[in-house]
Amino acid sequence: MATGAANPAAAPAAAAAAVAVAEDREPQREELPGLDNQWRQIENGESGRERPLRAGESWFLVEKHWYKQWEAYVQGGDQDSGTFPGCINNATLFEGTRPLPPSHPSPGVLVPSFPTDDHKPILCARSLVGGMARIIRQSPLLILPLPPHPRPTDEINWRLKEGLVEGEDYVLLPAASWHYLVSWYGLEDGQPPIERKVIELSNIRKVEVYPVELLLVRHNDLRTSHTVQFSNTDSVGLVLRTARERFLVEPQEDTRLWAKNSEGSLDRLYDTHLTVFDSALETGQLIIMETRKKDGTWPSAQLHVMNKKISEEDEDFRGQPGICGLTNLGNTCFMNSALQCLSNVPQLTEYFLSNCYLEELNFRNPLGMKGEIAEAYADLVKQAWSGHHRSIVPHVFKNKVGHFASQFLGYQQHDSQELLSFLLDGLHEDLNRVKKKEYVELCDAAGRPDQEVAQEAWQNHKRRNDSVIVDTFHGLFKSTLVCPDCGNVSVTFDPFCYLSVPLPISHKRVLEVFFIPMDPRRKPEQHRLVVPKKGKISDLCVALSKHTGISPERMMVADVFSHRFYKLYQLEEPLSSILDRDDIFVYEVSGRIEAIEGSREDIVVPVYLRERTPARDYNNSYYGLMLFGHPLLVSVPRDRFTWEGLYNVLMYRLS
């Protein structure tokens, strides 16, 4: 430090230059108020440090030594005292900074001071790293500060030291008090303000001096991490949004978070509405962000081996979204059919594909499945509608269903409607927008119009049940009860999600029959007849008559089995005695087989066709007889019923 005489004429110019440098380097601060006013505004005012904490507001940390020096300065009552604290310096609260003690003089060039109007020389000093020139004590010298040389930003660690104690290392000031001090005394150049939020945990309010520091990484690059501070009251959703911003994730991409626990395993952060505190996240914990692949699957999904093979084969496949099969895991056709039906409901599928469900997941509904069924179904829909699969294996979805509904465990057969009922109820409760269900009293119609009563019933239903399932599938039943004694009519409208309707019962059945005409020149004919289920054999003959033009009275119906007649039906027998697998032959005849003795009608003779074949003995001397073809019913006139006449009739029929 050099001192000496200087040109008196140059002194005012040098002083003016010093003030100009100070004004150029930093904006003009507010004029210092009186010391008593400073004390009242910082300590005892409505915005002072003694006031109670309010959740969500900001408080600031100030280094304890500087604050004690400020207290000594304002309580000393001498504004020109040597205890002037200078700029706020929190360097001792940070890691990796080694500031000079406040008592050290600031570096600069000393020049002779100039006399003031009251002929009292003054000393103007500038802080170590910048600040306004202030009158601090009487002195014959003037310090012109050299241009500061701050440490490069990347060499300064502004991380707060661990283990700092309030009252020993720092004091807390509300935002208003902090801004007063900064406007009066300034803040060391380059130092960030240490702002902390007031949080409320377990009904206790406190300033969160040490927020939770999380290490954010991507699933495909665990080496590149971002350290980000979060409050214990911040939501997991904010952590997810921050991770997406840090890793520049496109808006249309789906992401989710995993937390690595102390045991080294990963826990899925399902509920994005939970706070960091409720999710038990701790400083230094690794948070992994996973991005859904283009084919709708998650990289972390432990898929079935078959699914891996299919994924390799379908890696370059591009098909129409939604045209995707579901692999049968073993008697799971009941589940696949229900899923295919539900997947082709446009409103519901669009709801999941557009990620609307993420904002409506209800993790705290005691009637739901903590959002797991909704997320499993969403993953399935996104895979099926990605257009990257010919078929997918719903293994994960089936495991989720079996976890919450034990009747679907294993690979037994089940009813498709039962699975669909469970799935709709599960999706509704997982996506119910009503977080706290209120009691609703049912009201009777009391003679009011149906439209008014139905509207009231629907509003009451929506007060407890409000989800995309309600919007898409729910409706109202109208129930009317009439008292048989007093005649009072009660009308109510009851909500429903699905209807069990009986399949239409047909009163007709289709029979396939073979018609054998008497004319040997006509070939046998096969006919499909629609007959009454509870009809008689005569009804079959009437139906066949419309196809052939032969009178029903000239028909005989027989059941043929193994080339012979198994049964000859009477006209009054029911059609239910004919099974679908029976071979039914209808013969055209001129008489009935039960001819009355002495009647002039023809006699109906059953005829079997046999062929002579060599027997399988040693000398082939024996010939056996085997039936072949279909048997015949031949009408023979009574007056020609002789061996010769019968032979001639048969030859004619077989010619």
Side-chain angles (χ1 to χ4, degrees):
M1 182 178 294
T3 60
N7 187 357
V19 174
V21 169
E23 292 180 350
D24 290 341
R25 295 186 62 82
E26 188 168 312
Q28 184 70 30
R29 295 193 184 93
E30 295 181 7
E31 184 178 353
L32 276 172
L35 299 182
D36 291 339
N37 290 334
Q38 290 186 44
W39 178 260
R40 284 194 300 270
Q41 292 186 50
I42 301 302
E43 288 286 339
N44 302 325
E46 294 182 358
S47 59
R49 62 189 294 257
E50 298 299 329
R51 70 173 183 80
L53 301 176
R54 302 186 184 98
E57 65 181 2
S58 296
W59 284 58
F60 292 81
L61 275 69
V62 178
E63 197 267 338
K64 177 66 179 297
H65 181 83
W66 185 93
Y67 192 78
K68 283 298 182 183
Q69 187 170 351
W70 173 81
E71 283 185 334
Y73 172 64
V74 296
Q75 291 177 353
D78 185 3
Q79 196 161 1
D80 295 332
S81 170
T83 59
F84 183 80
C87 291
I88 300 174
N89 190 349
N90 290 328
T92 59
L93 302 181
F94 297 108
E95 294 181 353
T97 57
R98 299 175 58 187
L100 292 174
S103 59
H104 286 196
S106 300
V109 178
L110 296 180
V111 298
S113 63
F114 56 93
T116 59
D117 294 340
D118 55 1
H119 305 285
K120 292 181 179 180
I122 60 173
L123 172 66
C124 296
R126 187 179 169 102
S127 63
L128 176 65
V129 289
M132 290 198 62
R134 293 196 179 278
I135 300 173
I136 58 173
R137 64 174 66 93
Q138 294 182 2
S139 173
L141 298 177
L142 177 71
I143 299 179
L144 286 180
L146 294 173
H149 299 282
R151 188 184 308 178
T153 304
D154 56 356
E155 297 181 6
I156 300 177
N157 184 3
W158 298 120
R159 179 187 175 93
L160 206 62
K161 288 182 179 178
E162 295 291 338
L164 298 178
V165 179
E166 182 182 1
E168 296 182 8
D169 301 299
Y170 64 88
V171 295
L172 291 170
L173 295 178
S177 298
W178 165 261
H179 292 310
Y180 282 139
L181 290 178
V182 172
S183 65
W184 298 335
Y185 297 95
L187 178 64
E188 287 290 338
D189 283 351
Q191 282 190 11
I194 309 175
E195 180 181 2
R196 294 295 185 263
K197 295 290 185 181
V198 178
I199 63 174
E200 184 172 356
L201 296 176
S202 302
N203 297 323
I204 299 177
R205 295 175 184 173
K206 66 176 183 178
V207 177
E208 189 179 33
V209 177
Y210 290 100
V212 179
E213 289 188 352
L214 300 178
L215 302 179
L216 305 181
V217 298
R218 299 194 73 169
H219 72 276
N220 55 355
D221 185 11
L222 299 181
R223 296 183 178 180
T224 303
S225 64
H226 293 269
T227 302
V228 184
Q229 290 186 344
F230 296 95
S231 169
N232 278 287
T233 57
D234 287 337
S235 67
V236 175
L238 177 61
V239 179
L240 179 59
R241 291 193 296 273
T242 304
R244 291 176 63 94
E245 292 173 0
R246 292 297 179 96
F247 296 113
L248 304 177
V249 178
E250 295 294 332
Q252 68 272 13
E253 292 186 278
D254 294 342
T255 54
R256 62 183 185 183
L257 297 179
W258 298 82
K260 187 176 182 179
N261 57 32
S262 57
E263 298 176 355
S265 59
L266 298 178
D267 298 325
R268 169 81 189 286
L269 299 178
Y270 286 97
D271 191 352
T272 56
H273 298 92
L274 285 180
T275 63
V276 171
F277 178 80
D278 293 333
S279 300
L281 300 182
E282 301 175 348
T283 294
Q285 193 164 6
L286 189 67
I287 305 298
I288 302 174
M289 185 186 71
E290 183 182 19
T291 305
R292 189 193 297 272
K293 296 192 293 186
K294 292 182 179 180
D295 63 357
T297 61
W298 294 101
S300 62
Q302 299 298 323
L303 301 179
H304 197 266
V305 177
M306 182 187 305
N307 198 22
K308 291 182 180 179
K309 294 180 180 179
I310 293 176
S311 298
E312 293 172 0
E313 295 173 358
D314 293 354
E315 185 176 357
D316 299 326
F317 175 74
R318 296 294 182 273
Q320 182 177 349
I323 307 300
C324 179
L326 296 174
T327 301
N328 193 333
L329 303 176
N331 289 330
T332 57
C333 52
F334 73 95
M335 181 184 74
N336 294 353
S337 61
L339 290 175
Q340 290 286 17
C341 290
L342 210 56
S343 173
N344 283 276
V345 177
Q347 300 91 331
L348 188 62
T349 297
E350 179 60 28
Y351 172 83
F352 282 100
L353 293 179
S354 60
N355 288 336
C356 295
Y357 74 98
L358 293 176
E359 298 298 325
E360 298 181 353
L361 284 171
N362 192 336
F363 296 97
R364 302 179 183 179
N365 187 352
L367 301 178
M369 289 88 174
K370 299 181 180 180
E372 293 187 36
I373 285 292
E375 288 200 327
Y377 179 75
D379 290 344
L380 196 70
V381 168
K382 291 189 176 185
Q383 291 180 47
W385 288 82
S386 67
H388 290 265
H389 299 284
R390 292 182 176 87
S391 64
I392 56 179
V393 181
H395 187 70
V396 175
F397 179 82
K398 185 185 182 303
N399 288 342
K400 287 292 183 183
V401 171
H403 175 72
F404 291 104
S406 58
Q407 67 268 28
F408 296 112
L409 282 173
Y411 297 94
Q412 292 79 23
Q413 294 183 357
H414 295 280
D415 183 58
S416 181
Q417 194 272 339
E418 183 183 2
L419 185 278
L420 188 60
S421 171
F422 162 78
L423 184 54
L424 288 176
D425 288 341
L427 290 176
H428 162 62
E429 297 297 349
D430 275 359
L431 300 169
N432 198 345
R433 305 179 185 109
V434 179
K435 307 304 179 184
K436 185 177 180 181
K437 297 187 178 183
E438 57 182 303
Y439 173 76
V440 177
E441 185 176 355
L442 300 179
C443 299
D444 195 69
R448 293 179 294 167
D450 284 352
Q451 185 175 359
E452 179 182 344
V453 179
Q455 184 66 26
E456 180 183 6
W458 183 250
Q459 291 176 354
N460 289 338
H461 178 60
K462 293 269 285 187
R463 286 164 62 184
R464 292 176 56 86
N465 303 276
D466 186 12
S467 69
V468 66
I469 303 299
V470 174
D471 300 338
T472 309
F473 296 98
H474 283 207
L476 294 175
F477 271 133
K478 178 183 178 182
S479 301
T480 304
L481 297 177
V482 180
C483 179
D485 297 330
C486 64
N488 181 49
V489 179
S490 174
V491 178
T492 58
F493 289 86
D494 304 314
F496 68 89
C497 179
Y498 38 80
L499 295 176
S500 298
V501 294
L503 294 175
I505 300 176
S506 175
H507 298 286
K508 301 287 185 178
R509 64 178 294 193
V510 177
L511 288 178
E512 289 190 1
V513 300
F514 296 93
F515 177 68
I516 310 299
M518 289 181 60
D519 189 351
R521 292 170 296 182
R522 292 179 57 184
K523 295 182 179 180
E525 304 170 359
Q526 185 176 6
H527 295 275
R528 291 173 57 89
L529 306 177
V530 179
V531 295
K533 277 189 174 181
K534 297 183 179 180
K536 299 179 180 180
I537 298 298
S538 58
D539 296 322
L540 185 149
C541 296
V542 172
L544 184 58
S545 174
K546 297 178 180 178
H547 288 257
T548 62
I550 304 299
S551 173
E553 287 77 14
R554 301 184 60 184
M555 295 181 182
M556 291 191 66
V557 181
D559 182 3
V560 175
F561 177 73
S562 188
H563 311 291
R564 68 184 69 211
F565 291 114
Y566 181 77
K567 181 178 181 180
L568 295 175
Y569 292 98
Q570 304 299 320
L571 294 177
E572 297 302 320
E573 290 189 57
L575 287 174
S576 58
S577 60
I578 298 179
L579 304 181
D580 292 336
R581 65 174 181 268
D582 292 342
D583 292 328
I584 303 301
F585 285 73
V586 180
Y587 296 88
E588 180 187 1
V589 297
S590 59
R592 311 301 301 173
I593 196 169
E594 66 275 13
I596 302 175
E597 188 68 24
S599 172
R600 286 177 162 264
E601 294 182 354
D602 293 348
I603 298 175
V604 178
V605 180
V607 178
Y608 292 158
L609 304 179
R610 298 189 297 184
E611 63 176 344
R612 189 178 183 185
T613 59
R616 296 181 179 177
D617 56 0
Y618 293 104
N619 53 12
N620 291 331
S621 59
Y622 173 76
Y623 289 88
L625 300 175
M626 294 183 61
L627 296 177
F628 71 93
H630 58 79
L632 299 175
L633 288 179
V634 180
S635 298
V636 182
R638 183 173 294 275
D639 55 357
R640 297 178 55 188
F641 195 66
T642 61
W643 286 111
E644 184 180 357
L646 182 59
Y647 180 82
N648 293 331
V649 171
L650 291 177
M651 290 296 101
Y652 173 74
R653 290 292 303 271
L654 296 175
S655 60

